[in-house]
């Protein structure tokens, strides 16, 4: 059990007066927070919270734990601040994991400025489209693009939202026509993304409803940049994230298909192993990345 993390979570529960509001603050589920408090109480051999369906209050032992936990957390924060102020710079080794296409299209272009700003920093960037065990891999932060993330001991911080829309090349639509409704996609050559949840079914969000379109893509690839290149070459219709499609659409290499419809927008999460706060290296990187995403 990570005692400092549990202390932080417990204090947040008390301050917010609710497991659900505290869970939202720290980026985990209420069920996970409830389990952690139960484990804490079992380890102490004492009840800290009295809970009913409508109210929650501190026991005497809970009040004692809350007061001492606040004192300890403040002391840890002050020590960290002093060390960071004394160091005066972001340094050390930062290990990042990210999806391949996002790493190439979004992270790689911002690295020169980031490294120039923090010259004492060592950096490792690992690109992998499959979900990796970031703790086993020794990563400080993992960028994950998902509609939601499952409960885990890791902490996920939302840093952006991605749009996923439908595209084809001008040559393809000139030769094959443009589908006017989602069900007309069944008569077109669709290129699928192997690692996506929507490989064989697109839940398209339209003006008034969500329409499920079953698919059996004859061509399936495991990399969004390969998918982009196939679309530009006129090989079919497919979906692309905005960080890949925007530039190609602006240059006229791709055109929107069914512009009133798009897939559910995945969230961009930064996943770390600590609930207490971010390492200075991770904080600097995520601030830099978030700024780029806002632009």
């Amino acid at each position: 059990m990570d005692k400092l993390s549990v202390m932080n979570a417990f204090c947040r529960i008390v301050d917010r007066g609710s497991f659900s509001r505290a869970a939202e603050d720290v980026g985990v589920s209420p069920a996970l927070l409830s389990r952690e408090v139960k484990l804490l109480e079992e380890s102490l051999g004492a009840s800290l919270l009295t809970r009913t369906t409508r109210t929650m209050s501190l026991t005497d032992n809970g009040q004692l734990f809350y007061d001492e936990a606040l004192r300890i957390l403040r002391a840890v924060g002050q020590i960290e601040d002093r060390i960071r102020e004394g160091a005066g710079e972001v340094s050390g080794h930062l290990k990042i994991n990210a999806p391949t296409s996002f790493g190439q299209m979004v992270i790689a272009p911002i690295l020169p400025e980031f490294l120039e700003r923090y010259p004492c920093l060592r950096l490792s960037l690992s690109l992998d489209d499959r979900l990796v065990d970031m703790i086993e891999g020794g990563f400080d932060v993992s960028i994950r693009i998902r509609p939601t993330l499952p409960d885990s001991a890791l902490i996920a911080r939302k840093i952006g939202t991605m749009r996923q829309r439908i595209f084809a090349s001008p040559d393809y639509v000139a030769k094959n026509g443009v589908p006017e409704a989602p069900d007309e996609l069944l008569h077109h050559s669709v290129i699928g993304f192997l690692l996506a949840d929507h490989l064989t079914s697109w839940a398209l969000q339209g003006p008034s409803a969500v329409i499920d379109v079953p698919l059996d893509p004859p061509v399936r690839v495991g990399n969004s940049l390969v998918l982009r290149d196939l679309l530009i070459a006129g090989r079919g219709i497919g979906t692309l994230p905005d960080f890949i499609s925007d530039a190609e659409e602006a240059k006229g290499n791709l055109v929107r298909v069914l512009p009133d419809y798009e897939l559910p927008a995945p969230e961009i999460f930064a996943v770390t192993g600590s609930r207490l706060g971010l390492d200075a290296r991770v904080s600097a990187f995520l601030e830099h990345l978030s700024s780029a995403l806002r632009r």
Side-chain angles (χ1 to χ4, degrees), residues 12 15 29 56 76 125 128 138 148 157 171 178 196 214 223 228 232-233 253 257 273 288:
R12 191 65 62 91
D15 292 341
S29 71
M56 181 185 71
V76 170
L125 174 61
D128 195 322
T148 59
R157 296 169 172 84
D171 286 346
V178 181
N223 182 281
R228 174 202 62 187
I232 291 174
N253 293 330
V257 174
H288 191 71

Side-chain angles (χ1 to χ4, degrees), residues 55 145 164 277:
T55 62
I145 302 175
Q164 187 89 2

Side-chain angles (χ1 to χ4, degrees), residues 1 42 58 61 72 93 96 103 109-110 133-134 145 149 152 160 181 187 190 208 255 263 273 277:
M1 179 187 299
E42 290 175 353
L58 285 168
N61 284 324
I72 291 169
H93 190 181
I96 305 165
I110 68 172
D133 185 329
M134 62 171 293
I145 302 175
L149 288 179
S152 76
H187 307 297
V190 173
S208 58
V255 295
L263 274 77

Side-chain angles (χ1 to χ4, degrees), residues 16-240:
R16 297 285 274 157
S18 162
F19 275 82
S20 59
R21 288 193 290 268
E24 184 178 346
D25 287 348
V26 299
V28 300
S29 71
L32 180 58
L33 278 193
S34 181
R35 288 197 298 271
E36 289 199 343
V37 171
K38 183 178 179 180
L39 289 172
L40 174 63
E41 290 176 327
E42 290 175 353
S43 71
L44 295 173
S47 176
L48 303 179
L49 293 171
T50 301
R51 285 170 277 179
T52 68
T53 55
R54 294 187 177 181
T55 62
M56 181 185 71
S57 60
L58 285 168
T59 64
D60 289 342
N61 284 324
Q63 185 66 57
L64 174 62
F65 186 86
Y66 173 75
D67 292 339
E68 290 303 310
L70 278 183
R71 181 183 62 79
I72 291 169
L73 290 172
R74 290 194 188 105
V76 170
Q78 290 169 358
I79 292 170
E80 290 177 338
D81 289 342
R82 288 172 60 187
I83 291 174
R84 288 168 183 157
E85 290 171 3
E89 59 189 15
V90 175
S91 60
H93 190 181
L94 175 64
K95 297 185 68 176
I96 305 165
N97 164 255
T100 303
S101 57
F102 186 85
Q104 291 180 262
M105 299 297 294
V106 179
I107 296 178
I110 68 172
L111 283 184
E113 181 184 352
F114 178 68
L115 294 172
E116 183 177 358
R117 183 177 299 176
Y118 302 109
C120 295
L121 187 69
R122 298 177 59 209
L123 184 142
S124 296
L125 174 61
S126 174
L127 302 182
D128 195 322
D129 284 323
R130 298 189 181 276
L131 194 63
V132 301
D133 185 329
M134 62 171 293
I135 302 301
E136 183 178 333
F139 297 109
D140 299 298
V141 59
S142 179
I143 304 300
R144 297 180 182 174
I145 302 175
R146 296 284 189 277
T148 59
L149 288 179
D151 290 342
S152 76
L154 302 174
I155 300 305
R157 296 169 172 84
K158 177 183 169 182
I159 60 173
T161 300
M162 185 187 80
R163 299 187 70 179
Q164 187 89 2
R165 293 168 291 190
I166 309 169
F167 293 92
S169 72
D171 286 346
Y172 178 88
V173 297
K175 293 177 182 177
N176 301 279
V178 181
E180 300 294 337
D183 58 1
E184 293 183 20
L185 288 167
L186 300 175
H187 307 297
H188 285 265
S189 178
V190 173
I191 303 174
F193 183 51
L194 279 170
L195 303 180
D197 296 332
H198 55 264
L199 174 62
T200 58
S201 177
W202 288 356
L204 298 179
Q205 296 179 334
S208 58
V210 176
I211 299 177
D212 288 313
V213 181
L215 300 168
D216 183 20
V219 178
R220 308 175 182 199
V221 297
N223 182 281
S224 294
L225 297 179
V226 174
L227 197 156
R228 174 202 62 187
D229 292 345
L230 288 171
L231 294 180
I232 291 174
R235 302 309 305 171
I237 294 174
T239 67
L240 287 174

Side-chain angles (χ1 to χ4, degrees), residues 237-290:
I237 294 174
T239 67
L240 287 174
D242 51 15
F243 62 83
I244 293 177
S245 63
D246 282 352
E248 303 303 332
E249 186 179 12
K251 290 187 287 189
N253 293 330
L254 292 173
V255 295
R256 289 282 303 278
V257 174
L258 297 171
D260 292 333
Y261 294 88
E262 57 187 78
L263 274 77
E267 309 288 1
I268 304 171
F269 295 98
V271 180
T272 61
S274 171
R275 292 189 183 92
L276 281 176
L278 295 180
D279 178 282
R281 296 163 298 176
V282 176
S283 293
F285 173 72
L286 292 184
E287 181 181 349
H288 191 71
L289 176 58
S290 298

